[in-house]
């Protein structure tokens, strides 16, 4: 007897209205592999912006909701074959936990922008909700969707660079070099407001990307750190720049630098990992190349592409094109959506393979709290707070 045809995963979105860069990125990435379909949204507190965004997404008026509470309540009332299955949260940080918690209590899977919340305590509360909900939860650590990041992870895991000694990761941007929050820039305004962003600005926004990338590729857990934070724009309430010394649970040392006031920089996330048998280097702005430096052999440049030799299966399955055809940020986020859709199709619960989940969310919040505590302390080394999710 023929099996019923799978339908696209029905997604809803909260936040991400017109003028919010990341909302459109999510909508494009979700459609990339034709596994997901946007069916509803509450995109903005501005009724005009909300309606316009919904119309531009070709949504019917009755599924353009005034706020997230109305979206959840109304979608619950729809027949199972029509209602949203996965909620995408693209709001400022202070709403991440309240919305995710309510969504999972209502039986919806959640894919959320990072960080997980504004404090480790509330993220741990969310973890308790998640563990009893039976729902999937993921964080949009987009850079972990790049094929050559997975290639680097596998090379480290297979011992190709030996025991890791040093990790250097940095994420310089320049867009907050001026006080754009006073010039009507909404993206700058909420990121520099403690009531919306939490206890950290730059480190919560992009430092968490660098932290997550370092732990993902290396397989090490950062155990303690020594941090210096700065706010270079006069009157800015949260950090826009920071430098961190790191130690890992396996004896490696390193540095993490994140800044949003480096003039002329775009999104220059890069990582170098040094082992006793070689080293790896990857740059987000040149994502299809991975430099491999064996200890006693010439440097090799490994290239992305479905026709490239010597790539691990986990890297190959995240590629769509032959070498020389660049795949970038949208494709990386698209990989996360494809992994999420497959997990829903297969009826999984808990974590989504290939997507940062609750354990990563708690680790990110522990990092933010350790960095901000260290920056205020005269103590040289600050341990990361413990997280109470099993396996975190």
């Amino acid at each position: 007897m023929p099996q019923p045809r799978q339908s696209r995963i029905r997604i809803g979105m909260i936040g991400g209205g017109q003028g919010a860069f990341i909302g459109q990125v999510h909508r494009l990435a979700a459609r990339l592999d034709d596994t997901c379909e946007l069916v509803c949204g509450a995109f903005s507190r501005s009724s005009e912006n909300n309606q316009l965004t919904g119309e531009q997404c070709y949504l019917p008026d009755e599924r353009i909701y005034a706020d997230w509470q109305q979206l959840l309540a109304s979608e619950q009332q729809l027949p199972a074959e029509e209602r949203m299955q996965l909620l995408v949260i693209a709001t400022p940080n202070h709403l991440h936990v309240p919305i995710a918690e309510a969504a999972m209590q209502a039986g919806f899977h959640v894919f959320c922008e990072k960080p997980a919340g504004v404090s480790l305590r509330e993220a741990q509360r969310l973890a308790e909700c998640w563990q009893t909900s039976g729902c999937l939860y993921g964080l949009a650590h987009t850079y972990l969707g790049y094929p050559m990041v997975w290639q680097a992870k596998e090379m480290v895991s297979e011992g190709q660079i030996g025991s890791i000694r040093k990790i250097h990761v940095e994420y310089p941007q320049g867009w907050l070099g001026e006080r754009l929050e006073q010039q009507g820039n909404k993206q700058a305004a909420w990121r520099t407001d403690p009531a919306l962003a939490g206890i950290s600005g730059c480190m919560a926004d992009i430092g968490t990307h660098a932290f997550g990338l370092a732990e993902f590729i290396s397989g090490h857990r950062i155990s303690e750190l020594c941090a210096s934070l700065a706010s270079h724009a006069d009157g800015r309430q949260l950090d826009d720049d920071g430098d961190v010394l790191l130690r890992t649970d396996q004896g490696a040392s390193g540095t993490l630098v994140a800044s949003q006031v480096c003039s002329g920089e775009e999104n220059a996330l890069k990582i170098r990992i040094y082992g006793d048998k070689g080293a790896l280097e990857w740059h987000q702005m040149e994502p299809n190349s991975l430099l491999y430096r064996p200890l006693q052999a010439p440097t090799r440049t490994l290239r992305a592409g479905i026709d490239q030799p010597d790539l691990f299966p986990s890297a190959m399955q995240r590629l769509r094109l032959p070498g020389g055809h660049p795949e970038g940020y949208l494709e990386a986020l698209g990989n996360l959506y494809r992994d999420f859709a497959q997990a829903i199709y297969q009826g999984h619960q808990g974590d989504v393979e290939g997507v940062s989940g609750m354990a990563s969310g708690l680790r990110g919040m522990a990092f933010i709290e350790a960095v901000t505590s260290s920056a205020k302390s005269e103590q040289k080394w600050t341990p990361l707070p413990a997280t109470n999710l099993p396996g975190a």
Side-chain angles (χ1 to χ4, degrees):
M1 185 174 180
Q3 295 295 311
R5 181 179 297 174
Q6 284 184 335
S7 60
R8 297 182 183 92
I9 299 301
R10 298 179 297 278
I11 65 173
M13 178 174 287
I14 297 174
Q18 297 300 306
F21 146 77
I22 201 65
Q24 179 67 351
V25 168
H26 274 277
R27 291 189 287 272
L28 291 171
R31 294 171 57 189
L32 188 60
D33 293 293
D34 216 20
T35 57
C36 299
E37 176 185 12
L38 184 70
V39 297
C40 65
F43 305 102
S44 174
R45 289 174 296 176
S46 162
S47 58
E48 182 179 355
N49 186 319
N50 187 40
Q51 185 67 28
L52 177 62
T53 305
E55 290 174 357
Q56 291 184 344
C57 294
Y58 301 98
L59 296 180
D61 287 345
E62 65 270 18
R63 296 185 82 175
I64 304 171
Y65 298 108
D67 53 42
W68 63 268
Q69 294 93 337
Q70 185 188 57
L71 183 148
L72 292 177
S74 299
E75 288 295 311
Q76 271 190 293
Q77 301 303 312
L78 294 175
E81 66 275 12
E82 296 179 21
R83 75 172 72 110
M84 168 187 77
Q85 297 166 277
L86 170 62
L87 180 65
V88 178
I89 303 174
T91 67
N93 302 347
H94 72 299
L95 290 174
H96 289 180
V97 167
I99 297 174
E101 197 169 38
M104 288 191 289
Q105 288 171 347
F108 298 113
H109 305 298
V110 171
F111 187 47
C112 185
E113 266 300 320
K114 34 58 50 199
V118 295
S119 74
L120 178 57
R121 176 177 293 182
E122 72 160 8
Q124 287 175 330
R125 188 187 76 225
L126 178 65
E128 294 172 3
C129 172
W130 166 73
Q131 286 181 309
T132 59
S133 71
C135 294
L136 299 169
Y137 174 86
L139 285 168
H141 278 279
T142 302
Y143 305 111
L144 305 190
Y146 278 109
M148 300 312 279
V149 166
W150 282 80
Q151 176 69 18
K153 174 183 174 63
E154 297 286 7
M155 292 177 71
V156 169
S157 178
E158 291 293 313
Q160 293 189 19
I161 66 169
S163 297
I164 294 176
R165 293 171 167 171
K166 188 164 287 292
I167 302 168
H168 292 297
V169 61
E170 63 179 86
Y171 196 158
Q173 296 177 337
W175 74 287
L176 284 179
E178 297 180 338
R179 289 203 66 186
L180 298 181
E181 61 267 35
Q182 293 189 329
Q183 300 175 27
N185 186 307
K186 293 182 179 179
Q187 300 306 305
W190 77 257
R191 283 175 170 83
T192 57
D193 183 348
L196 304 179
I199 59 174
S200 173
C202 175
M203 279 295 168
D205 193 25
I206 61 174
T208 50
H209 277 306
F211 170 81
L213 184 68
E215 289 203 336
F216 182 77
I217 293 178
S218 70
H220 288 215
R221 288 159 57 93
I222 293 167
S223 56
E224 55 184 350
L225 53 81
C226 177
S228 172
L229 298 180
S231 181
H232 290 285
D234 291 341
R236 183 168 285 162
Q237 298 181 72
L238 294 175
D239 56 283
D240 53 27
D241 176 78
D243 303 282
V244 185
L245 296 176
L246 307 172
R247 286 176 176 169
T248 78
D249 60 346
Q250 297 183 49
S253 61
T255 61
L256 185 153
V257 176
S259 180
Q260 294 174 312
V261 295
C262 289
S263 299
E265 293 285 6
E266 295 173 346
N267 281 279
L269 174 63
K270 58 181 71 74
I271 187 168
R272 289 170 288 157
I273 298 184
Y274 297 95
D276 59 5
K277 295 181 181 178
L280 295 170
E281 181 173 346
W282 181 79
H283 294 210
Q284 194 272 150
M285 291 174 61
E286 295 291 340
N288 290 330
S289 296
L290 174 66
L291 297 181
Y292 171 41
R293 299 188 179 96
L295 185 61
Q296 295 181 336
T299 297
R300 293 179 58 197
T301 301
L302 304 179
R303 293 283 291 162
I306 59 175
D307 55 351
Q308 298 296 314
D310 301 328
L311 296 185
F312 282 92
S314 60
M316 292 293 290
Q317 72 187 42
R318 288 168 172 82
L319 287 161
R320 298 169 178 81
L321 300 170
H325 297 278
E327 297 190 47
Y329 188 79
L330 287 176
E331 288 84 354
L333 185 54
N335 286 333
L336 304 189
Y337 272 101
R338 185 172 61 188
D339 289 342
F340 222 116
Q342 288 302 316
I344 295 174
Y345 285 139
Q346 294 165 11
H348 290 179
Q349 294 184 355
D351 288 327
V352 177
E353 186 176 358
V355 180
S356 293
M358 191 64 70
S360 296
L362 293 177
R363 289 288 296 165
M365 295 311 305
F367 167 74
I368 293 168
E369 296 204 356
V371 165
T372 54
S373 295
S374 176
K376 297 173 183 176
S377 172
E378 294 301 317
Q379 181 177 319
K380 184 172 183 180
W381 292 103
T382 299
L384 268 68
T387 53
N388 63 9
L389 181 70

